[in-house]
Amino acid sequence: MTTGAPTPTYPARPRRSRMRTFLPLGLAAWLVLEIWLLTVVAGAASGFAVFLLLVAGFVLGSVVIKRAGRRAFQNLNEALQRGGAPSSSGSSGNGLMMLGGLLLMIPGLISDAVGLLLLIPPVQKAIGRYAERTFDRKLREAAPGTLGDAFQQARMQRPDGKVVQGEVIVRDEPGDDTPQGPRPPLTR
């Protein structure tokens, strides 16, 4: 039964990025490869040797993460005592060192090899420089106002000392009070 109302037209679905398409496939392939490699090594040596290798990787990874976290905390503490921002010279490798420790803690021989590779200082510097260049390039390519305007909020200080958070609404036409869409809820 038709009512004569026009059929609503929905906007086209945005195209799925390559990362969202191939990341699950890559993770599945990595897991299969890790399990296969563990069974090959267990067949060549013994299951107990593989178990000890995995436990040693977990312990080493936790020590590395603890050490990198302690170093990052000390850098932050020293910077706060100086009254400035933390220097990037001493703390540049802490994030990659923590990532290496995390990869060591994940059971598997490939993740252990990549984790150990991330613990080498020249590799950390090379990856850090590459990540910084990539991040700078992506920032330059981004259209102005893409992220900053999306989350722009205002805070008002009331006379009684309470802070009221709100959303900044920019209207194109004066007197246009119609809502443009659903608004996120305000939190306290």
Side-chain angles (χ1 to χ4, degrees):
M1 175 181 206
T2 20
T3 60
T7 309
T9 57
Y10 297 106
R13 192 181 236 182
R15 191 167 169 242
R16 197 170 185 176
S17 69
R18 286 187 187 190
M19 179 77 125
R20 285 187 62 192
T21 302
F22 293 117
L23 186 65
L25 294 173
L27 284 175
W30 172 64
L31 286 173
V32 167
L33 188 61
E34 288 277 19
I35 292 170
W36 175 77
L37 193 59
L38 284 173
T39 57
V40 167
V41 171
S46 69
F48 186 68
V50 171
F51 176 73
L52 288 179
L53 190 63
L54 294 176
V55 169
F58 186 82
V59 170
L60 179 64
S62 62
V63 167
V64 166
I65 288 177
K66 183 177 180 181
R67 181 176 170 219
R70 185 175 290 153
R71 187 176 349 158
F73 185 73
Q74 286 174 348
N75 289 343
L76 179 64
N77 195 13
E78 290 171 2
L80 290 175
Q81 287 177 355
R82 283 193 318 260
S87 64
S88 62
S89 62
S91 64
S92 62
N94 288 335
L96 289 173
M97 189 172 283
M98 286 184 183
L99 179 62
L102 180 67
L103 286 172
L104 282 171
M105 290 177 74
I106 294 174
L109 299 177
I110 297 172
S111 62
D112 287 350
V114 173
L116 287 173
L117 195 64
L118 283 176
L119 297 181
I120 301 171
V123 173
Q124 286 178 356
K125 288 180 183 178
I127 291 175
R129 282 193 306 264
Y130 174 75
E132 187 175 347
R133 281 194 314 261
T134 304
F135 184 70
D136 288 342
R137 187 183 75 238
K138 293 285 185 183
L139 278 180
R140 277 186 264 118
E141 290 174 359
T146 53
L147 186 61
D149 292 342
F151 298 107
Q152 186 178 11
Q153 289 191 356
R155 292 179 180 218
M156 282 185 0
Q157 186 89 23
R158 290 179 36 184
D160 58 355
K162 294 182 180 176
V163 175
V164 179
Q165 282 189 331
E167 183 178 349
V168 175
I169 300 172
V170 180
R171 297 204 167 101
D172 294 336
E173 300 174 15
D176 183 20
D177 292 337
T178 59
Q180 282 82 23
R183 302 272 186 241
L186 295 176
T187 58
R188 290 186 176 214

